[in-house]
Amino acid sequence: MNAVTGTSARTRVNDFVIKIANVNGTGSASANGLLMKAIFRMGIPVVGKNLFPSNIQGLPTWYEIRVTGDGWTGRSGEVDIMVAMNLESYARDLKDVSPGGVLIYDSTWPRPSLLSRDDVTVLGIPLARMCNENFANARTRVLMKNMAYVGVVAALTGVDMAVIQTLVEEMFGAKPKLIPPNMQAVEMGYNYAKEHFTQPLAFKLEALDKTSDCIMIDGNTAAALGCVYAGASFGAWYPITPSTSLMDGFKSFCEQLRVDPETGKNNYCIIQAEDELSAIGMVIGASWNGARAFTPTSGPGISLMSEFIGFAYYSEVPAVLFDVQRVGPSTGMPTRTQQGDILLAAYASHGDTKHIVLFPANPKECFDFAVEAFDLAERFQTPVFVLSDLDIGMNDWMTPKLEWDDSRRPDRGKVYHAADLEKIEKFYRYLDVDGDGIPYRTIPGEHPKGAYFTRGSGHTKYGGYTEDSAAYQDVLDRILQKWKNAATKVPGPEIVRCGKPTRIAILTVGGCDGAAKEAIARLNAEDDLDIDYLRVRAFPFHPEIENFIANYDTVFVLEQNRDAQLRTLLVTETTARKDQLVSILDYAGMPANPHLIVDRVREHIASQG
């Protein structure tokens, strides 16, 4: 038996990263999710990050589980325990382990040339041999090897086996015959580790009570549920990574919640279009007819939808678009994350267009902002973008339980129904009756007096065709005023003040939230820096954002793109000075890293003397 303490001088409790290296298509996702959920069920905050290739199978894939008793949601950038299951990436995986860490590998086939690193403890466990001896089917052996390493990690770190048992029973509840072999594989790995290693690792788990008010969910699933609660009844899309699972989720929820119990008929419509252009066209048509309609896509899809987006903006038809951002330009890296569509969404289409854009930072906000997006789209009669990203959309997040107020009713905006139309002499679709920039609309078929011609070409405020410059400009100016008025109706920024006088702040957007907050805590603890914080949650910018920036000499603008798109938008749309806004850019395709933020802040402060 071997004693295993790692090379770390101190035991780290509920504060380490497990990274699992495997081959795409081998069924490792279920095992990895099982391990993460078991830690979560022990009451310990945890975050999962999946790094997978854009092909179906055969290439390396990694899954990071960050155990974080303090509840941080960002990616730490370190690896304390590496489970190296892929021979092709083994050398790279060993290199990635942080000093003092541990590497676990399948020792069925010896790899002597790859085992030397003085500051890492390497543990060989014959996972394949054990599975070959206990399972007859070749595919079963591959799958069970994954469950076996779950058992190994459980034994070495202190995962509660009773929790794993419960999760396996839940996972295979519909196929109970699969429960015994999966538990057998977990126990094989667990028992081998217990029998051959006398002590647990320097990285260990101790049960907490910090997850009872939380759930594990990804942003796409949360957004899909938000669409259902918002009253969306129509969705059209063309499949694209990483947004497809949003429509998959919507379909699943509708099948449960949107079927008439008496007739068995569906109270929803979902269409897979032939391309993104068709999808947005269908959404606009459904919205024009009175349905709450949406499309999920990513950056390339928004590019293709551009002309129709401009049509909806100018003809004032509500529509909701979910842009789950990925790396660009062009095809880019479709399974990596980025925030490269900020300017694209803000000004989508040709000519003068400005759109309402919401920036969720986590799955809970994906749910909340999905609901808000439909209200805003109909209130302001315009396209509304919900700008998520792959990290938020497809990864597992610990997030507060989703809440719903049953008394909430959809804000359908300014609509003339049949009774309203009876009271007026004549209806003009684009006439600003109330002076707030928003005209009244009608639902087709409700009353003959509500008929009008929807125009994407030049039109007057009365809805008639025109090429008269003054009449055209009058309508365009009103639409701009309507957008400006939305600034106080969109979600306001999240502001966290340090409680002390300071002239330094960090400003960010979306999924950078967790990394930014962790970096601020580190800079305060290690450098005695007092830093205030603001997270932008919508565009047009709420007035609080401009007021916030004015109070600081330096505002670090953290975002995940090369060209500082958020900073550009702030300079363009507010009175913020360029010299105030210092960019921190992290655009390599990985979730934001707090270490990079800390380093960039330190470098800038040092450069200022």
Side-chain angles (χ1 to χ4, degrees), residues 496-505 524 528-533 551-554:
V496 181
R497 301 192 187 277
C498 66
K500 297 180 181 180
T502 181
R503 303 296 295 174
I504 302 174
N524 179 259
D528 198 27
L529 278 176
D530 298 314
I531 302 175
D532 286 345
Y533 176 72
N551 291 320
Y552 302 92
D553 297 326
T554 301

PDB file of all heavy atoms in Angstrom, residues 496-505 524 528-533 551-554:
ATOM      1  N   VAL A 496     -21.557  46.995  -6.848  1.00  0.00           N
ATOM      2  CA  VAL A 496     -21.045  46.544  -5.550  1.00  0.00           C
ATOM      3  C   VAL A 496     -19.936  47.499  -5.137  1.00  0.00           C
ATOM      4  O   VAL A 496     -18.907  47.589  -5.811  1.00  0.00           O
ATOM      5  CB  VAL A 496     -20.505  45.099  -5.612  1.00  0.00           C
ATOM      6  CG1 VAL A 496     -19.998  44.664  -4.238  1.00  0.00           C
ATOM      7  CG2 VAL A 496     -21.574  44.141  -6.120  1.00  0.00           C
ATOM      8  N   ARG A 497     -20.156  48.216  -4.054  1.00  0.00           N
ATOM      9  CA  ARG A 497     -19.155  49.183  -3.577  1.00  0.00           C
ATOM     10  C   ARG A 497     -18.358  48.569  -2.436  1.00  0.00           C
ATOM     11  O   ARG A 497     -18.893  47.822  -1.609  1.00  0.00           O
ATOM     12  CB  ARG A 497     -19.827  50.478  -3.151  1.00  0.00           C
ATOM     13  CG  ARG A 497     -20.623  51.123  -4.295  1.00  0.00           C
ATOM     14  CD  ARG A 497     -21.044  52.542  -3.964  1.00  0.00           C
ATOM     15  NE  ARG A 497     -21.948  53.086  -4.987  1.00  0.00           N
ATOM     16  CZ  ARG A 497     -21.556  53.625  -6.123  1.00  0.00           C
ATOM     17  NH1 ARG A 497     -20.260  53.721  -6.390  1.00  0.00           N
ATOM     18  NH2 ARG A 497     -22.438  54.095  -6.999  1.00  0.00           N
ATOM     19  N   CYS A 498     -17.086  48.903  -2.397  1.00  0.00           N
ATOM     20  CA  CYS A 498     -16.192  48.322  -1.400  1.00  0.00           C
ATOM     21  C   CYS A 498     -16.380  48.912  -0.010  1.00  0.00           C
ATOM     22  O   CYS A 498     -15.892  48.363   0.979  1.00  0.00           O
ATOM     23  CB  CYS A 498     -14.737  48.464  -1.841  1.00  0.00           C
ATOM     24  SG  CYS A 498     -14.167  50.184  -1.919  1.00  0.00           S
ATOM     25  N   GLY A 499     -17.067  50.045   0.074  1.00  0.00           N
ATOM     26  CA  GLY A 499     -17.326  50.654   1.368  1.00  0.00           C
ATOM     27  C   GLY A 499     -16.262  51.620   1.835  1.00  0.00           C
ATOM     28  O   GLY A 499     -16.346  52.161   2.944  1.00  0.00           O
ATOM     29  N   LYS A 500     -15.279  51.859   0.970  1.00  0.00           N
ATOM     30  CA  LYS A 500     -14.215  52.802   1.301  1.00  0.00           C
ATOM     31  C   LYS A 500     -14.011  53.754   0.130  1.00  0.00           C
ATOM     32  O   LYS A 500     -14.338  53.419  -1.005  1.00  0.00           O
ATOM     33  CB  LYS A 500     -12.911  52.058   1.602  1.00  0.00           C
ATOM     34  CG  LYS A 500     -12.981  51.136   2.809  1.00  0.00           C
ATOM     35  CD  LYS A 500     -11.639  50.447   3.023  1.00  0.00           C
ATOM     36  CE  LYS A 500     -11.691  49.496   4.212  1.00  0.00           C
ATOM     37  NZ  LYS A 500     -10.383  48.814   4.426  1.00  0.00           N
ATOM     38  N   PRO A 501     -13.451  54.929   0.390  1.00  0.00           N
ATOM     39  CA  PRO A 501     -13.166  55.839  -0.731  1.00  0.00           C
ATOM     40  C   PRO A 501     -12.184  55.197  -1.706  1.00  0.00           C
ATOM     41  O   PRO A 501     -11.151  54.659  -1.300  1.00  0.00           O
ATOM     42  CB  PRO A 501     -12.547  57.062  -0.037  1.00  0.00           C
ATOM     43  CG  PRO A 501     -13.015  56.985   1.375  1.00  0.00           C
ATOM     44  CD  PRO A 501     -13.113  55.529   1.693  1.00  0.00           C
ATOM     45  N   THR A 502     -12.494  55.239  -2.982  1.00  0.00           N
ATOM     46  CA  THR A 502     -11.607  54.664  -3.996  1.00  0.00           C
ATOM     47  C   THR A 502     -11.814  55.384  -5.317  1.00  0.00           C
ATOM     48  O   THR A 502     -12.901  55.887  -5.596  1.00  0.00           O
ATOM     49  CB  THR A 502     -11.851  53.159  -4.174  1.00  0.00           C
ATOM     50  OG1 THR A 502     -10.955  52.644  -5.163  1.00  0.00           O
ATOM     51  CG2 THR A 502     -13.279  52.887  -4.620  1.00  0.00           C
ATOM     52  N   ARG A 503     -10.765  55.414  -6.129  1.00  0.00           N
ATOM     53  CA  ARG A 503     -10.843  56.010  -7.462  1.00  0.00           C
ATOM     54  C   ARG A 503     -10.665  54.946  -8.540  1.00  0.00           C
ATOM     55  O   ARG A 503     -10.419  55.244  -9.698  1.00  0.00           O
ATOM     56  CB  ARG A 503      -9.775  57.106  -7.623  1.00  0.00           C
ATOM     57  CG  ARG A 503      -9.842  58.222  -6.588  1.00  0.00           C
ATOM     58  CD  ARG A 503     -11.139  59.011  -6.702  1.00  0.00           C
ATOM     59  NE  ARG A 503     -11.237  59.728  -7.961  1.00  0.00           N
ATOM     60  CZ  ARG A 503     -12.326  60.400  -8.362  1.00  0.00           C
ATOM     61  NH1 ARG A 503     -13.408  60.407  -7.605  1.00  0.00           N
ATOM     62  NH2 ARG A 503     -12.332  61.057  -9.507  1.00  0.00           N
ATOM     63  N   ILE A 504     -10.807  53.661  -8.135  1.00  0.00           N
ATOM     64  CA  ILE A 504     -10.625  52.547  -9.063  1.00  0.00           C
ATOM     65  C   ILE A 504     -11.891  51.691  -9.081  1.00  0.00           C
ATOM     66  O   ILE A 504     -12.482  51.415  -8.028  1.00  0.00           O
ATOM     67  CB  ILE A 504      -9.422  51.664  -8.659  1.00  0.00           C
ATOM     68  CG1 ILE A 504      -8.139  52.491  -8.606  1.00  0.00           C
ATOM     69  CG2 ILE A 504      -9.259  50.505  -9.642  1.00  0.00           C
ATOM     70  CD1 ILE A 504      -6.961  51.702  -8.067  1.00  0.00           C
ATOM     71  N   ALA A 505     -12.279  51.255 -10.258  1.00  0.00           N
ATOM     72  CA  ALA A 505     -13.441  50.370 -10.382  1.00  0.00           C
ATOM     73  C   ALA A 505     -13.197  49.359 -11.499  1.00  0.00           C
ATOM     74  O   ALA A 505     -12.375  49.580 -12.391  1.00  0.00           O
ATOM     75  CB  ALA A 505     -14.703  51.170 -10.657  1.00  0.00           C
ATOM     76  N   ASN A 524      -7.924  42.962  -3.017  1.00  0.00           N
ATOM     77  CA  ASN A 524      -8.107  43.581  -1.715  1.00  0.00           C
ATOM     78  C   ASN A 524      -7.307  42.854  -0.641  1.00  0.00           C
ATOM     79  O   ASN A 524      -6.633  43.475   0.193  1.00  0.00           O
ATOM     80  CB  ASN A 524      -9.591  43.587  -1.346  1.00  0.00           C
ATOM     81  CG  ASN A 524      -9.843  44.211   0.014  1.00  0.00           C
ATOM     82  OD1 ASN A 524     -10.030  43.501   1.002  1.00  0.00           O
ATOM     83  ND2 ASN A 524      -9.839  45.540   0.083  1.00  0.00           N
ATOM     84  N   ASP A 528      -4.163  45.068  -0.845  1.00  0.00           N
ATOM     85  CA  ASP A 528      -4.849  46.114  -0.082  1.00  0.00           C
ATOM     86  C   ASP A 528      -5.457  47.173  -1.005  1.00  0.00           C
ATOM     87  O   ASP A 528      -5.454  48.369  -0.691  1.00  0.00           O
ATOM     88  CB  ASP A 528      -3.877  46.770   0.915  1.00  0.00           C
ATOM     89  CG  ASP A 528      -4.623  47.525   2.011  1.00  0.00           C
ATOM     90  OD1 ASP A 528      -5.767  47.137   2.313  1.00  0.00           O
ATOM     91  OD2 ASP A 528      -4.073  48.513   2.527  1.00  0.00           O
ATOM     92  N   LEU A 529      -5.971  46.716  -2.153  1.00  0.00           N
ATOM     93  CA  LEU A 529      -6.615  47.617  -3.103  1.00  0.00           C
ATOM     94  C   LEU A 529      -8.122  47.627  -2.860  1.00  0.00           C
ATOM     95  O   LEU A 529      -8.757  46.569  -2.756  1.00  0.00           O
ATOM     96  CB  LEU A 529      -6.340  47.171  -4.541  1.00  0.00           C
ATOM     97  CG  LEU A 529      -5.012  47.579  -5.178  1.00  0.00           C
ATOM     98  CD1 LEU A 529      -4.911  46.962  -6.568  1.00  0.00           C
ATOM     99  CD2 LEU A 529      -4.893  49.093  -5.264  1.00  0.00           C
ATOM    100  N   ASP A 530      -8.682  48.804  -2.781  1.00  0.00           N
ATOM    101  CA  ASP A 530     -10.130  48.956  -2.637  1.00  0.00           C
ATOM    102  C   ASP A 530     -10.709  49.271  -4.017  1.00  0.00           C
ATOM    103  O   ASP A 530     -10.350  50.278  -4.639  1.00  0.00           O
ATOM    104  CB  ASP A 530     -10.457  50.078  -1.660  1.00  0.00           C
ATOM    105  CG  ASP A 530      -9.928  49.786  -0.263  1.00  0.00           C
ATOM    106  OD1 ASP A 530     -10.128  48.654   0.210  1.00  0.00           O
ATOM    107  OD2 ASP A 530      -9.301  50.685   0.337  1.00  0.00           O
ATOM    108  N   ILE A 531     -11.609  48.415  -4.484  1.00  0.00           N
ATOM    109  CA  ILE A 531     -12.123  48.523  -5.849  1.00  0.00           C
ATOM    110  C   ILE A 531     -13.639  48.378  -5.835  1.00  0.00           C
ATOM    111  O   ILE A 531     -14.184  47.437  -5.252  1.00  0.00           O
ATOM    112  CB  ILE A 531     -11.502  47.444  -6.769  1.00  0.00           C
ATOM    113  CG1 ILE A 531      -9.978  47.569  -6.787  1.00  0.00           C
ATOM    114  CG2 ILE A 531     -12.063  47.545  -8.181  1.00  0.00           C
ATOM    115  CD1 ILE A 531      -9.281  46.472  -7.580  1.00  0.00           C
ATOM    116  N   ASP A 532     -14.320  49.306  -6.499  1.00  0.00           N
ATOM    117  CA  ASP A 532     -15.761  49.189  -6.683  1.00  0.00           C
ATOM    118  C   ASP A 532     -16.056  48.401  -7.960  1.00  0.00           C
ATOM    119  O   ASP A 532     -15.173  48.195  -8.808  1.00  0.00           O
ATOM    120  CB  ASP A 532     -16.409  50.577  -6.749  1.00  0.00           C
ATOM    121  CG  ASP A 532     -16.482  51.248  -5.384  1.00  0.00           C
ATOM    122  OD1 ASP A 532     -16.297  50.551  -4.368  1.00  0.00           O
ATOM    123  OD2 ASP A 532     -16.716  52.475  -5.341  1.00  0.00           O
ATOM    124  N   TYR A 533     -17.307  47.995  -8.093  1.00  0.00           N
ATOM    125  CA  TYR A 533     -17.658  47.070  -9.175  1.00  0.00           C
ATOM    126  C   TYR A 533     -19.004  47.430  -9.787  1.00  0.00           C
ATOM    127  O   TYR A 533     -19.950  47.796  -9.075  1.00  0.00           O
ATOM    128  CB  TYR A 533     -17.721  45.643  -8.613  1.00  0.00           C
ATOM    129  CG  TYR A 533     -18.176  44.589  -9.606  1.00  0.00           C
ATOM    130  CD1 TYR A 533     -17.345  44.188 -10.645  1.00  0.00           C
ATOM    131  CD2 TYR A 533     -19.430  43.995  -9.490  1.00  0.00           C
ATOM    132  CE1 TYR A 533     -17.758  43.208 -11.544  1.00  0.00           C
ATOM    133  CE2 TYR A 533     -19.849  43.018 -10.385  1.00  0.00           C
ATOM    134  CZ  TYR A 533     -18.997  42.631 -11.411  1.00  0.00           C
ATOM    135  OH  TYR A 533     -19.394  41.673 -12.308  1.00  0.00           O
ATOM    136  N   ASN A 551     -17.277  58.847 -11.435  1.00  0.00           N
ATOM    137  CA  ASN A 551     -16.716  58.961 -10.079  1.00  0.00           C
ATOM    138  C   ASN A 551     -15.315  58.384  -9.933  1.00  0.00           C
ATOM    139  O   ASN A 551     -14.770  58.386  -8.827  1.00  0.00           O
ATOM    140  CB  ASN A 551     -17.642  58.268  -9.074  1.00  0.00           C
ATOM    141  CG  ASN A 551     -18.951  59.006  -8.899  1.00  0.00           C
ATOM    142  OD1 ASN A 551     -18.980  60.235  -8.860  1.00  0.00           O
ATOM    143  ND2 ASN A 551     -20.050  58.260  -8.808  1.00  0.00           N
ATOM    144  N   TYR A 552     -14.709  57.894 -11.028  1.00  0.00           N
ATOM    145  CA  TYR A 552     -13.428  57.187 -10.905  1.00  0.00           C
ATOM    146  C   TYR A 552     -12.402  57.727 -11.900  1.00  0.00           C
ATOM    147  O   TYR A 552     -12.741  58.164 -12.995  1.00  0.00           O
ATOM    148  CB  TYR A 552     -13.637  55.684 -11.143  1.00  0.00           C
ATOM    149  CG  TYR A 552     -14.647  55.094 -10.184  1.00  0.00           C
ATOM    150  CD1 TYR A 552     -15.996  55.027 -10.541  1.00  0.00           C
ATOM    151  CD2 TYR A 552     -14.278  54.663  -8.925  1.00  0.00           C
ATOM    152  CE1 TYR A 552     -16.946  54.525  -9.662  1.00  0.00           C
ATOM    153  CE2 TYR A 552     -15.207  54.152  -8.034  1.00  0.00           C
ATOM    154  CZ  TYR A 552     -16.541  54.093  -8.407  1.00  0.00           C
ATOM    155  OH  TYR A 552     -17.468  53.610  -7.524  1.00  0.00           O
ATOM    156  N   ASP A 553     -11.142  57.666 -11.466  1.00  0.00           N
ATOM    157  CA  ASP A 553     -10.048  58.013 -12.368  1.00  0.00           C
ATOM    158  C   ASP A 553      -9.804  56.892 -13.369  1.00  0.00           C
ATOM    159  O   ASP A 553      -9.494  57.141 -14.539  1.00  0.00           O
ATOM    160  CB  ASP A 553      -8.764  58.271 -11.570  1.00  0.00           C
ATOM    161  CG  ASP A 553      -8.889  59.460 -10.635  1.00  0.00           C
ATOM    162  OD1 ASP A 553      -9.590  60.422 -11.009  1.00  0.00           O
ATOM    163  OD2 ASP A 553      -8.309  59.418  -9.540  1.00  0.00           O
ATOM    164  N   THR A 554      -9.925  55.642 -12.887  1.00  0.00           N
ATOM    165  CA  THR A 554      -9.665  54.471 -13.733  1.00  0.00           C
ATOM    166  C   THR A 554     -10.796  53.466 -13.571  1.00  0.00           C
ATOM    167  O   THR A 554     -11.115  53.050 -12.451  1.00  0.00           O
ATOM    168  CB  THR A 554      -8.338  53.786 -13.359  1.00  0.00           C
ATOM    169  OG1 THR A 554      -7.268  54.726 -13.495  1.00  0.00           O
ATOM    170  CG2 THR A 554      -8.082  52.590 -14.265  1.00  0.00           C
TER     171      THR A 554
END
